[in-house]
Structure formats: structure tokens, C-alpha cells
Amino acid sequence: MFTSSTVSIPESSEVPRHLAIIMDGNGRWATRRMLPRTAGHARGVQAVRRVVEACGRRGVKYLTLFAFSSENWRRPQEEVSLLMRLFVQTLEKEVVKLEQQGVRLRVVGDLSAFEPHLRDLIQAAEERTRGNDLLHLTIAANYGGRWDILQAMRALLRERPDLADSPESLVEQDLAKHLSMAWAPEPDLFIRTGGEQRISNFLVWQLAYTELYFTEDYWPEFGAKELDAAFKWYRTRERRFGRTSEQLADKTR
Ligand code: IPE
Ligand code: IPE
Ligand code: MG
């Protein structure tokens, strides 16, 4: 079902239905401990496990994790290779567990840049967990918000070549349905660990009305307690979607 915060007013709930996280600060966490940055990435995987489990227990329906951006290829080659290896190892190890936990796994991003073995693992993991519905876990890998909009645009133009003659007939949904997470509602809550306050080309279209939460905690030290602090903050937000506070107080208006 298509829902858009700019077309209609989404329902709000106590616990975010869709949580999107930029898992940042692995490198600094490790450097602080005189460890190689790669040790931080390895510890980051443990934090993923904790957060997936905690989200499942708290009734989050969609959890989207930014694992590798389209700009992360700019990092030193050894670090990129290590991240790819870690991705492969984690998929090999964790998929059975995810399947048992009722988690449906999807990976979004330009997967064409990955080696065939990794692509096969991703496809197998997606197929294996396809029947699950407790928690929809999405890993954004070689993902960029601008890439997403561009690929949606390309798909739209392929589907509707007639649009060039009547561009004014184009509505939001025409494009949005081709975005790589079209099956999910827009994120209610965004968390970025590691202290930076930026979007870094994550879900640029989908974050239009998302509540943004930034924490100094490095990703490897993030867990259930830190998640609850973010949820507590989220519950204090008044989600107006363009309306006034008075309108929200008076539900009859
Ligand atoms: C996030 O941690 C993980 C990835 C981007 C893959 P970083 O590696 O960016 O850690 P910092 O920001 O350098 O501390
Ligand atoms: C964003 O973190 C990407 C991921 C966490 C995967 P970065 O560490 O790459 O972001 P910048 O470079 O600080 O903006
Ligand atoms: Mg970083």
C-alpha cells in the first residue's frame, strides 16, 4: 500500500514502526582503544545483533541499517575489502538465526558492484527469510539516496515513456513506487550514532518527515538501553506534518 507523509498524514504510534539507523563511529571506537579500525567494524556486527533483537521485542516492524554507502568505496582498499569479507561472514553465520527469529532480510543498494559470491549469498538470504513477517530488516549496502532516486527515475521512464509528452501528469507515487524500499512506510525515527549530525546520502527522499535523533555513542557501544533512550525521546516529539499544535490538540478539526 502506498503511503506518503506529504500526500496524507501518517498514523503515529508509541514505538516507531520504521526505524532507520546510520551505524557510525566504528573506526573511532577502535582508534580510541588503540585497535585497528577493522576491530571496530567487527564489534559493530555485535551491535547489529543486539539492536535487531531489541527491535523485534519492542514491536518495531521495519529496521533499516546503513552498512555501506555509495561513497564508502573512497576508503582505503584494505578497509573496503575487510568490510566486504565481514558482510559475507555475517550473512553466512546469521541467516539461520534470523530465519528462526522471524526476521525477513532484504538488502537494498546497487548490488551490481559486489562480487558474485556476495550477490548469491544476499539472494539466498532474502529467499530463505521471505516468509517471515515479525521484523523486516533491511541492510543498505552500496546504497545512496541519490542513486535510489535516479534508479527510480530510470525505471519510471522505461515504464512510462509517454511522460515526456505530459510531465504535468506525473505524481509523487509514480516515482515513489520505484524507490528501492517502496514496500516499507517512511521511517518514523532516524538514529545516527557517532556524533555527526548529517544524512550522508542515506534515505534522502524517505526521511522527509522523519524524527532525527543524534547520539555521541559510537555504534559498537549501542544496545537496548541506548535504543530505549532514543525511543523515549521519540515519544516526546509532536509530529505535526505541517499542521499546528492546536490542530493536534483538537482532534475534531
Ligand atoms: C561506520 O563507522 C561504518 C561504515 C561506514 C562502514 P565508520 O567506519 O564510519 O567509523 P568512523 O566514523 O570512522 O568512526
Ligand atoms: C555513513 O557513514 C555511512 C554508513 C554508516 C554506512 P560515513 O562515516 O561514511 O559518513 P561520513 O563520511 O562521515 O559522512
Ligand atoms: Mg563514519
Side-chain angles (χ1 to χ4, degrees):
M1 193 188 64
F2 173 74
T3 53
S4 159
S5 56
T6 44
V7 174
S8 60
I9 294 167
E11 272 179 43
S12 296
S13 52
E14 287 286 291
V15 171
R17 204 148 80 94
H18 184 174
L19 168 64
I21 306 182
I22 297 190
M23 310 182 288
D24 196 22
N26 292 351
R28 280 165 288 160
W29 179 89
T31 309
R32 280 258 178 111
R33 285 163 180 73
M34 318 280 269
L35 296 167
R37 291 176 55 83
T38 50
H41 297 313
R43 284 296 281 257
V45 176
Q46 296 179 20
V48 170
R49 235 177 262 134
R50 289 196 295 270
V51 168
V52 168
E53 222 185 282
C55 282
R57 274 192 263 114
R58 283 156 184 73
V60 173
K61 201 75 196 167
Y62 301 87
L63 172 64
T64 303
L65 303 176
F66 204 5
F68 192 87
S69 77
S70 44
E71 289 70 55
N72 284 146
W73 297 106
R74 296 170 179 165
R75 294 191 177 198
Q77 210 236 308
E78 314 84 72
E79 181 166 343
V80 171
S81 307
L82 179 282
L83 284 167
M84 294 299 148
R85 267 207 307 283
L86 208 55
F87 198 8
V88 168
Q89 281 168 10
T90 308
L91 279 172
E92 285 172 344
K93 250 185 33 206
E94 305 288 329
V95 172
V96 178
K97 229 183 293 165
L98 292 176
E99 188 189 11
Q100 289 163 354
Q101 289 173 345
V103 177
R104 177 166 182 178
L105 179 75
R106 293 178 179 94
V107 180
V108 295
D110 182 1
L111 305 187
S112 68
F114 294 143
E115 55 161 77
H117 177 57
L118 179 51
R119 288 210 302 266
D120 290 348
L121 277 175
I122 290 170
Q123 204 191 341
E126 288 186 341
E127 264 161 33
R128 191 160 182 164
T129 60
R130 193 179 294 274
N132 285 342
D133 185 48
L134 182 80
L135 173 66
H136 293 250
L137 170 64
T138 304
I139 305 294
N142 193 21
Y143 180 88
R146 291 186 178 179
W147 163 83
D148 200 0
I149 294 168
L150 270 176
Q151 68 78 27
M153 188 76 83
R154 291 186 191 114
L156 171 63
L157 289 175
R158 270 196 297 273
E159 179 198 54
R160 303 261 314 271
D162 57 292
L163 268 178
D165 299 323
S166 58
E168 53 294 322
S169 71
L170 179 68
V171 294
E172 208 185 284
Q173 183 179 2
D174 296 328
L175 185 72
K177 74 175 188 193
H178 292 291
L179 290 169
S180 49
M181 291 193 63
W183 36 265
E186 291 167 33
D188 301 292
L189 176 64
F190 159 99
I191 297 176
R192 182 172 187 146
T193 60
E196 308 299 346
Q197 303 200 355
R198 53 178 173 252
I199 302 296
S200 299
N201 199 15
F202 194 22
L203 300 158
V204 295
W205 173 287
Q206 297 89 336
L207 291 174
Y209 267 106
T210 303
E211 301 297 330
L212 307 178
Y213 179 86
F214 299 95
T215 168
E216 296 291 324
D217 296 327
Y218 293 135
W219 178 248
E221 55 203 18
F222 199 84
K225 188 163 105 334
E226 291 72 21
L227 188 70
D228 285 335
F231 284 6
K232 189 171 169 207
W233 173 86
Y234 172 76
R235 282 195 294 277
T236 68
R237 309 316 302 157
E238 184 178 63
R239 305 195 70 195
R240 292 191 287 275
F241 299 103
R243 297 163 298 171
T244 65
S245 290
E246 290 72 20
Q247 282 175 297
L248 286 178
D250 180 0
K251 288 275 175 0
T252 58
R253 276 200 244 190

